[in-house]
Amino acid sequence: MKNTNTNTKFILLHPYIQKQGSSNRLWLLAFISILTLAFLVTLIYTRESTFITTATSSVIASSNAPVSGLGIAPLPPTVINTLLHYASKSNDTNHMPHSDLKPISDVLRKCSSPCNLLIFGLTSETLLWKALNYYGRTVFIDENRYYAAYYEELHPEIDAYDVQYTTKRSEMKELIASAKERVANECKPVQNLLFSDCKLGLNDLPNHVYDVDWDVILVDGPRGDWPDAPGRMSAIFTAGVLARSKKGGNPKTHVFVHDFSGEVEKVCGSEFLCSENLVEASESLGHYVVERMDESSVQYCKTHSSSGSGNASST
């Protein structure tokens, strides 16, 4: 009888073994994918960072380098004329008319770059002056520390400082007489006002203000509408000293005095900026060109000053 008893062998594939192999492959694939993704992200980030750093450095270098060296063209006349037009049409009752804005703008346009512009007073034209001297340095000095801080917060691009005036408009004659008596000492026409004890000299401005060779100075502050108001005696005196004390740059400084019909503006302008330096005058704007002086000078003007307008042309 044939033996039909056979040993049958079964091979059992446990599902866990198959899943374990697939899981290992998936983990390997995931690991490789993560490495690849990390490499790509690092590559992209590095390239963008390099580009941003290079671009930023270029912008900073462009802004700090002398304009003349980079060959950057000044603001086009059309832009300047448009700015002047809208500024003169301002709804602010205290804004300058076009006839006052134009002479100052013309001087700024001809000023060698970068032009250094110092302005006494934060006014309706503050943003205009900053824009017209876009490639230069523009610094504002105001009597109100809170308004100066507020204006800088509102317009971070504005460089404004406050100063404490100790004068009174009603004391103008006494202050002028005191300065002229001390012209050979603390009220010298050429000096560093930071160390001055002259009553009319502003000695508490930021240190760097005294070191800059200012090309243009505009006196449009402080207030002088009542007897105890500070008046512009100190601002005009300080403008004259800064102009005469220049160490380098253009030996001539254009000094504009706004509200020129006022007694303080006209008299102090004649005494400390000098009638022979008055090149142009209108009812509301006086334009002086003050030259650098020798340190040994002991007089403000070459000729006897008066409260008149000299030989200036009227506009």
Side-chain angles (χ1 to χ4, degrees):
M1 185 174 177
K2 192 174 181 178
N3 187 8
T4 59
N5 185 18
T6 62
N7 295 327
T8 305
K9 297 180 179 179
F10 295 93
I11 298 176
L12 179 60
L13 297 176
H14 197 282
Y16 176 75
I17 300 175
Q18 184 176 4
K19 287 182 179 180
Q20 188 177 25
S22 299
S23 177
N24 289 337
R25 287 194 294 272
L26 288 175
W27 278 109
L28 180 61
L29 181 61
F31 181 71
I32 294 174
S33 299
I34 292 173
L35 286 178
T36 304
L37 181 61
F39 173 75
L40 290 175
V41 170
T42 302
L43 180 62
I44 294 172
Y45 177 79
T46 302
R47 292 182 63 184
E48 289 185 349
S49 298
T50 303
F51 173 76
I52 293 173
T53 302
T54 303
T56 304
S57 300
S58 300
V59 171
I60 293 175
S62 299
S63 62
N64 290 337
V67 177
S68 57
L70 293 176
I72 299 177
L75 293 177
T78 303
V79 175
I80 295 176
N81 292 334
T82 302
L83 290 172
L84 295 178
H85 171 77
Y86 284 105
S88 64
K89 302 298 181 182
S90 170
N91 293 326
D92 194 318
T93 56
N94 296 319
H95 74 271
M96 282 189 184
H98 186 272
S99 58
D100 289 347
L101 297 173
K102 189 65 165 57
I104 303 173
S105 171
D106 289 344
V107 169
L108 290 175
R109 187 184 305 186
K110 298 174 183 177
C111 184
S112 58
S113 298
C115 187
N116 294 319
L117 170 62
L118 178 64
I119 300 175
F120 290 92
L122 287 169
T123 65
S124 304
E125 292 76 33
T126 294
L127 296 179
L128 173 67
W129 303 135
K130 177 65 177 178
L132 291 178
N133 194 34
Y134 182 76
Y135 296 114
R137 172 185 295 180
T138 306
V139 173
F140 297 88
I141 306 296
D142 197 77
E143 62 186 297
N144 190 324
R145 63 183 303 181
Y146 301 105
Y147 186 60
Y150 166 77
Y151 211 100
E152 276 196 313
E153 182 178 356
L154 197 64
H155 303 284
E157 72 278 11
I158 296 298
D159 193 10
Y161 302 94
D162 66 278
V163 63
Q164 184 68 41
Y165 289 94
T166 59
T167 56
K168 293 182 180 180
R169 193 195 70 180
S170 59
E171 300 172 346
M172 179 190 70
K173 293 181 180 180
E174 292 81 0
L175 290 169
I176 292 176
S178 174
K180 295 173 74 172
E181 289 174 3
R182 294 167 172 78
V183 68
N185 297 301
E186 57 264 35
C187 295
K188 293 188 298 183
V190 178
Q191 62 171 306
N192 186 340
L193 286 172
L194 180 62
F195 309 105
S196 176
D197 292 325
C198 184
K199 292 181 180 179
L200 280 179
L202 295 176
N203 60 6
D204 58 346
L205 298 175
N207 291 4
H208 69 270
V209 172
Y210 304 104
D211 297 329
V212 175
D213 294 320
W214 300 103
D215 298 296
V216 183
I217 301 176
L218 170 61
V219 178
D220 202 7
R223 298 167 296 170
D225 301 330
W226 65 96
D228 288 340
R232 298 179 182 175
M233 299 84 70
S234 288
I236 293 174
F237 176 85
T238 298
V241 172
L242 290 174
R244 296 184 180 94
S245 304
K246 293 172 71 171
K247 301 297 184 183
N250 192 327
K252 297 182 179 181
T253 301
H254 294 265
V255 181
F256 292 92
V257 179
H258 192 224
D259 299 322
F260 198 56
S261 58
E263 181 185 11
V264 169
E265 289 73 14
K266 192 175 292 291
V267 172
C268 289
S270 178
E271 292 287 353
F272 302 121
L273 301 177
C274 307
S275 297
E276 70 261 22
N277 296 328
L278 185 62
V279 297
E280 190 176 12
S282 67
E283 183 179 353
S284 54
L285 186 70
H287 178 192
Y288 296 85
V289 178
V290 182
E291 292 196 48
R292 181 167 55 215
M293 274 189 176
D294 187 83
E295 291 185 8
S296 60
S297 300
V298 291
Q299 59 181 8
Y300 305 112
C301 306
K302 296 178 181 179
T303 60
H304 179 69
S305 61
S306 65
S307 59
S309 59
N311 298 323
S313 60
S314 297
T315 57

